[in-house]
Amino acid sequence: MAAAHISHGLYRLSVNLFNDTLFEGMWPLPQGCSMNSYVVKGYDVAMVDGVWGMDPAAPAALYRQLQGMGSDVGDIRYVVINHAEPDHTGWLKSLLEMTERVEIVATEKGVEIARSFYGADANYRVVHTGDTIDLGKGKILRFVETPNVHWPETMVTYEEFTGAVLSCDLFGSFGALGMAMCDDQMSGEQLGGYEDEALRYYSNVLAHFSPSVARAIETVKELDPAIIAPAHGPIWRGNPQRIMELYRRFTSFVDGPAEPVVTVIWGSMYGNTEKAIDPIVRGVTSEGVEAVVHRVPQTHVSHILASAWRSTGIILAMPTYEFKMFPPMAAVLEDLGRKQVINKLAFRVGSFGWSGGAQRELEEIVERQKMKWQFLEPVEFRGDAGVETLDLLKERAAHLARAVKERAVCRAAHPYSSPSLDGRGSGGG
């Protein structure tokens, strides 16, 4: 891959990760993921963000691309760290072995974290909101702190001449990049694919920090960016407002009401719970509500998180296992709680053989994780569900779907409305 010209004096260097790598050691990459670094050239040269160093081939690829645009490591005067996580900074170890000239620019906390990773001997510069570096030829970098977009040290870099916001994790997306790197080079179908992967990226990586992300979006909006250039995913050069609005929607889902969608998460040991899924889905879709179905443990939680994040309703269907929840379901529920999938309308379906007990563990997890889910009365059945039970499941699923539609519509008109499912309020159900 070669360096790519984005705008006047602004270039992108990139390395792609693929599915043999788990992002953050957890999240699968079926479509890959790009790690974007940016070069800003005035009289001086600045490199903003970078790539990881776990594979020596990644930094080596950056240096080759730099040479391909007529520069080399010795030309770099500044390295700007918007975010000190090693997937953006791991390459610095090799860089600091090659040159002593470079100055590393970061927030105060960013310098503290970088020192812990890369040693205290480098030449660090602490910057705060409003500080600038003049590279010459009209190229001025302005720094804006956006704490806790992911880690507490995060910031964005605004290049004044081009109006580009170099945003690191903010506005990022999974998905490898090819020759088409900018939104104005992609078809609608391609953009839609990256937007789907932006949802999965957001729910997997940033969701826990949604209030901070929402504040950062407003901060970036005030800059009126002409270009948004994140460290993962496409560069938004044709319509930067599109990714800003998409991310604004993602942050709003943390309040609970989201899209008129129900995520159905189910697991089955011997096929008894599995028989409940068809009437549940038919009940949801009979009300014109989308049902997105995931089986555990077969479906990776990464995809379940993305689905649950945009859903107003959640249905859990699983057997009791040794007086508790089916273990893969309990693990998924813990992850949903960790990532702040809160304030959902929910319904639990449970099968059991010789003993129940799953409800107690469900209530304990929901309470401990402060998920604030509002439950319909659960439906449990012993052994094989009969016709009456299957009919009841369809009816309850339709009931949930109606409540989902009401809350999703109410949210559009009255963002803080919270219609009740059945008068029971929130809790374990």
Side-chain angles (χ1 to χ4, degrees):
M1 187 174 291
H5 181 255
I6 299 171
S7 188
H8 303 283
L10 177 62
Y11 302 83
R12 166 192 158 266
L13 316 182
S14 184
V15 176
N16 286 323
L17 302 176
F18 290 100
N19 200 35
D20 56 348
T21 302
L22 292 174
F23 195 84
E24 294 189 323
M26 292 181 284
W27 314 118
L29 300 172
Q31 308 302 321
C33 181
S34 67
M35 296 184 292
N36 303 329
S37 179
Y38 298 95
V39 172
V40 185
K41 295 185 73 171
Y43 292 118
D44 287 324
V45 175
M47 205 157 180
V48 183
D49 299 319
V51 298
W52 71 348
M54 293 178 66
D55 181 353
L62 277 195
Y63 304 143
R64 285 197 303 273
Q65 292 171 38
L66 192 63
Q67 290 172 345
M69 56 180 284
S71 298
D72 60 32
V73 167
D75 295 327
I76 302 173
R77 179 68 181 84
Y78 304 98
V79 170
V80 177
I81 300 176
N82 283 322
H83 176 27
E85 193 170 7
D87 62 322
H88 309 291
T89 59
W91 70 294
L92 285 176
K93 285 187 176 181
S94 67
L95 178 71
L96 294 174
E97 293 172 354
M98 299 167 68
T99 177
E100 297 180 355
R101 178 176 182 265
V102 70
E103 188 170 3
I104 299 175
V105 180
T107 64
E108 185 171 357
K109 289 184 178 179
V111 168
E112 178 185 332
I113 293 171
R115 285 182 188 275
S116 72
F117 285 133
Y118 309 114
D121 295 334
N123 183 17
Y124 294 101
R125 179 195 288 200
V126 172
V127 292
H128 302 280
T129 294
D131 289 349
T132 61
I133 292 177
D134 190 342
L135 301 177
K137 297 184 179 180
K139 312 297 289 183
I140 297 174
L141 305 181
R142 190 197 322 167
F143 307 105
V144 182
E145 294 174 90
T146 54
N148 298 306
V149 161
H150 195 193
W151 289 10
E153 87 295 0
T154 49
M155 69 176 183
V156 300
T157 299
Y158 178 64
E159 200 290 291
E160 295 187 359
F161 189 87
T162 58
V165 170
L166 313 178
S167 60
C168 203
D169 281 355
L170 183 63
F171 307 120
S173 168
F174 290 140
L177 288 174
M179 294 299 292
M181 60 172 182
C182 297
D183 61 330
D184 55 8
Q185 298 171 320
M186 297 179 184
S187 67
E189 183 178 358
Q190 285 177 302
L191 279 180
Y194 283 110
E195 288 174 336
D196 288 344
E197 285 291 82
L199 171 62
R200 194 166 67 87
Y201 175 84
Y202 183 90
S203 64
N204 291 190
V205 179
L206 301 182
H208 183 83
F209 307 96
S210 290
S212 297
V213 175
R215 288 190 291 271
I217 292 169
E218 292 305 310
T219 297
V220 171
K221 185 178 179 181
E222 292 176 4
L223 297 173
D224 191 23
I227 298 169
I228 288 179
H232 304 295
I235 294 94
W236 299 84
R237 182 176 64 182
N239 184 7
Q241 287 73 32
R242 178 167 174 166
I243 190 64
M244 291 174 66
E245 175 58 22
L246 190 68
Y247 257 63
R248 188 202 62 76
R249 285 180 55 222
F250 293 164
T251 63
S252 73
F253 294 165
V254 77
D255 295 329
E259 297 178 3
V261 176
V262 172
T263 291
V264 180
I265 311 168
W266 69 280
S268 186
M269 296 167 61
Y270 300 113
N272 293 307
T273 304
E274 184 173 5
K275 292 178 182 177
I277 305 308
D278 181 65
I280 286 171
V281 171
R282 285 190 286 112
V284 171
T285 57
S286 70
E287 295 294 328
V289 171
E290 180 184 357
V292 182
V293 182
H294 300 286
R295 183 176 185 177
V296 295
Q298 286 81 354
T299 303
H300 194 282
V301 69
S302 171
H303 302 283
I304 297 173
L305 278 167
S307 175
W309 189 260
R310 75 178 183 100
S311 296
T312 298
I314 306 283
I315 295 177
L316 307 174
M318 74 287 192
T320 295
Y321 185 87
E322 296 177 350
F323 305 105
K324 292 186 177 182
M325 297 172 66
F326 185 51
M329 184 69 74
V332 165
L333 198 62
E334 292 280 8
D335 280 338
L336 295 181
R338 286 172 182 266
K339 292 298 181 179
Q340 299 290 291
V341 180
I342 60 176
N343 293 314
K344 300 298 184 182
L345 307 180
F347 171 44
R348 183 184 76 85
V349 177
S351 64
F352 66 97
W354 51 274
S355 174
Q359 185 67 28
R360 290 191 297 273
E361 186 179 20
L362 172 63
E363 292 173 356
E364 184 275 324
I365 293 174
V366 168
E367 176 66 22
R368 173 166 45 80
Q369 294 279 17
K370 298 180 173 60
M371 296 169 76
K372 302 177 184 177
W373 287 11
Q374 187 179 1
F375 282 87
L376 279 177
E377 183 177 353
V379 173
E380 289 191 303
F381 55 91
R382 186 170 189 172
D384 192 14
V387 173
E388 289 186 2
T389 298
L390 297 176
D391 288 343
L392 177 60
L393 291 173
K394 180 180 177 182
E395 178 185 321
R396 289 280 172 83
H399 184 175
L400 182 77
R402 288 192 293 274
V404 162
K405 284 194 297 186
E406 180 186 356
R407 179 172 282 196
V409 170
C410 284
R411 183 177 183 279
H414 308 287
Y416 302 106
S417 63
S418 183
S420 175
L421 276 171
D422 56 7
R424 289 178 173 81
S426 62

